[in-house]
Amino acid sequence: MAGQPTNVRGTPVRSADLKKGRVFTTTYVPRIQYAWDTGQAIGRYLEELKNGRLIARRCNNCQRIMIPPRMFCERCFGPTHAWVVVKDTGTVNTFSLSYVSWDVRRLKKPEIPAVIEIDGASKGMGILHVLGNVSPKAVRIGMKVRAVWKPAQQRTGSITDIAYFEPIKGKAPAAKRTAKKPFKAKAKKSKSRKRR
Amino acid sequence: MRRVAVVGAGMTKFIHRALETPKELSWLAAKAALDSAEMKLDQVDCVVEGTAPDAFDGVHMNGEYLSDGCGAWKKPYLRCYVGGGTGVYALAQGWFHIASGLFDTALVVCEEKMSTCLPHPQAAFLTIFDNITEQPLKPNLLWIFALEMNRYMSVHGYSVEDIAKVSVKNKRNALGHPSAQLGAELTVKDVLASEIMAWPVHRLMVSPTSDGAAAVLLASEEVAKRVTNKPVWVQGVGWCLDSAYWTNRDLYYPDYVEKAAWMAYRMAGIREPRKEINLAEPYDPFAYKELHHLEGLQLAPKGQAPRLLADGVFDRDGDLPTCPSGGLLGVGNPIAAAGMMKLCELFWQLRGEAGPRQVPGRPRRGVAQAWGDLMQVGTVVVMGVN
Amino acid sequence: MKTPKNVETHVWRGGIPLESRYTAGLGGQIFFQALKERGELVGTRCAACKQVYVPARAFCERCFAELTEEVKVSPEGTLVSFTFSAYDRDANRLAEPVALALVKLDGATTTMLHRLLRVTSPEQVRIGARVKVVLKPKAKRTGSILDIEGFQLA
């Protein structure tokens, strides 16, 4: 028996049919602009970015210092209790070398997005940013990094007021693995390929 | 609660760019599901529809737009949405309708037409990141997958090569699927030789963007026993969302999948998933995701899925076949429709109708799972022959 | 807690930078081909449900049958409803109101929306009036709903 599904349909459109107008199409570009209220927590976060520092919120109930800051704690569902200025240094929790831009253009030099656990916030509290002033081959999980701020007069109250995070020289990373020769498998204990 | 069975399933081809409109794709799949059960539209009591963000089809109120293509003319109808998890969740939504006693039949249709979105469907994903604290960094979807994959490999000590085997398996499995967009016979070397998109993610470890639709017909026990002698029972459903603060979590393990899985397993009376489940369709938009999700689904110990993969456990003739359909990597990834395709696969496999893809040994129970939002949602359905 | 200055008014401006290209689909190919090449309005018939859908559709929403019988309908029809819109879609007041028509073409069982041409005030129009379609010249037709200029009172 041929197997299900049977009689599957769907008609591929070739580029030539589109170019020559044999396939009728309509295009639409939505003209939608938003002005999102940033709210108390992120409003203050942006203000402090303009001032050149990172700020978090503490939940006394859960003993957590959270960044990005929030006015309520999603765990205990109570209000958070205090502002805490945290450091602008941290540890690379994970990273990538991205050769593709957000709109899918190919990049020669990769962007290096990373989740950075911020010093002074609770363990595991990271933010998304990019790394710079570092060879892609040298980036490691566990690497200590610091914020490189734009000059004060260029700061606008945006996460991009931090141009990027760069390695703190002299601080040895926790792991020895590099991006070029990544993570040599140490878990390959089972040599046999037996089928159970 | 009443027992609910799947009595029909159908789908379109998954293709890069379809001529059909989103509602025509929905109709093709929904009609195929009805035809497979030899039932007519007027025997359908209610309709559930699932699509991912409106940005792909490019239609606001996409659920309403699609309604006639889903067979919802003058019927109770509801769209559901949990990001990429929608396709599997949609069946749970249909299950409520019948288990509750409100309806006897429900048509569940999932559709996506990603080719509508220009210049590339990827651009629509920018909007899933936090609009104020993350979007200004111009992130792309690959970032979060690459960040999660790197974390997973790093914590457990695996290489890109270990992960690449998923692509090889799934693209090979897809060669037996009539709807497949990217079935292929490849080697690990081929996968690693494909261009790096966002290290450690290579092109051949990423599912394609696709147009397509898939559907199932659900029925109450009474109706199911009347219309088919091979009903496949919905034994359990589960879903769970984790915090939207994805940078505050350790991405190496999907807690939310574990929670969703146990919800479904408890309902199904499963205590030892690894022993009581015969096949799985974990969500595989990226190669590592299948492994990550198998661990969340309790079908491999934490950090052990790559080793079981290397041992052949997850092959079609292995002890626990995973993605025998060919998965998203092989069949394609029209987002919500891809999750629904996995449920269709369980239906065909459990009925012994999967033809060249049939897993041996008369499987009695399978699990399908989808994932979505910001590394955030797990949706799980368990189906079985009794 | 002291709220810092400007926080309440702080907004982040952004958009959703997307473009959509919609295919006309199986039904749309039939309708737009006929409109562009022959200047005809073509629908599809469902004999079982006694429907003629215009523009043509690939399937019947009532019984789910595939529709393969093409039907050329009349360029004339009846005005089912109309309005005069004084605002554009960005809520700007228009210099001249735009008249819009819902029309059931003779031979069709469905209505379609388009502009109502050559009228300036509601007093000139009544529901139930006979209208006829106005097409662009063939050289200017591209296979778009705008190949139809609109309807005018017959």
Side-chain angles (χ1 to χ4, degrees), chain B residues 208-231:
Chain B
T209 59
S210 316
D211 296 350
V216 290
L217 181 62
L218 303 182
S220 64
E221 184 162 13
E222 189 195 309
V223 173
K225 286 183 170 165
R226 205 168 61 225
V227 300
T228 177
N229 54 9
K230 285 197 289 182

Side-chain angles (χ1 to χ4, degrees), chain B residues 22 66 72 76 118 122 138 144 153 163 175 201 203 210:
Chain B
L66 289 168
L118 301 179
Q122 281 293 344
K138 296 274 183 213
I144 46 172
M153 294 195 318
I163 310 290
L175 287 170
V201 174
R203 179 174 291 283
S210 316

Side-chain angles (χ1 to χ4, degrees), chain B residues 17-21 23-24 27 30-31 34 41 55 57-58 68-71 73 113 116-118 123-124 127 131-132 136, chain C residues 11-12 14-29 56-67:
Chain B
R17 185 170 53 205
L19 175 66
E20 287 81 0
T21 61
K23 60 170 80 181
E24 288 170 348
W27 163 70
K31 182 80 160 62
L34 275 174
L41 190 57
D57 281 3
D68 53 293
C70 298
W73 184 71
K113 185 165 181 181
T116 303
C117 187
L118 301 179
T127 58
N131 50 5
I132 301 167
Chain C
V11 293
W12 186 268
I16 298 182
L18 293 175
E19 181 178 346
S20 297
R21 180 177 56 207
Y22 312 105
T23 58
L26 304 174
Q29 284 291 123
R57 302 186 195 176
F59 63 94
C60 176
E61 65 182 2
R62 299 179 180 224
C63 70
F64 246 26
E66 180 156 18
L67 301 180

Side-chain angles (χ1 to χ4, degrees), chain C residues 81-106:
Chain C
S81 191
F82 67 93
T83 184
F84 282 75
S85 175
Y87 290 87
D88 71 8
R89 65 175 179 176
D90 294 323
N92 301 311
R93 183 124 194 133
L94 293 165
E96 290 292 326
V98 172
L100 299 157
L102 262 188
V103 173
K104 186 182 254 185
L105 292 166
D106 297 343

Side-chain angles (χ1 to χ4, degrees), chain A residues 11 70 93-94 96 100 126, chain B residues 20 140 147 150-151 199 247-248:
Chain A
T11 315
R70 62 214 71 167
N93 167 286
T94 184
S96 171
V100 180
Chain B
E20 287 81 0
N140 74 54
L147 293 167
N150 191 4
R151 191 78 198 151
W199 184 91
T247 59
N248 293 174

Side-chain angles (χ1 to χ4, degrees), chain B residues 261-262 265 270-279 294 296-300 320 365 367:
Chain B
W262 278 118
Y265 294 162
I270 297 172
R271 285 160 186 244
E272 294 182 84
R274 181 68 183 79
K275 289 182 185 164
E276 299 176 61
I277 288 170
N278 307 127
L279 83 145
L294 283 167
L297 287 167
Q298 316 297 298
L299 297 176
L320 177 68
R365 183 189 263 151
V367 61

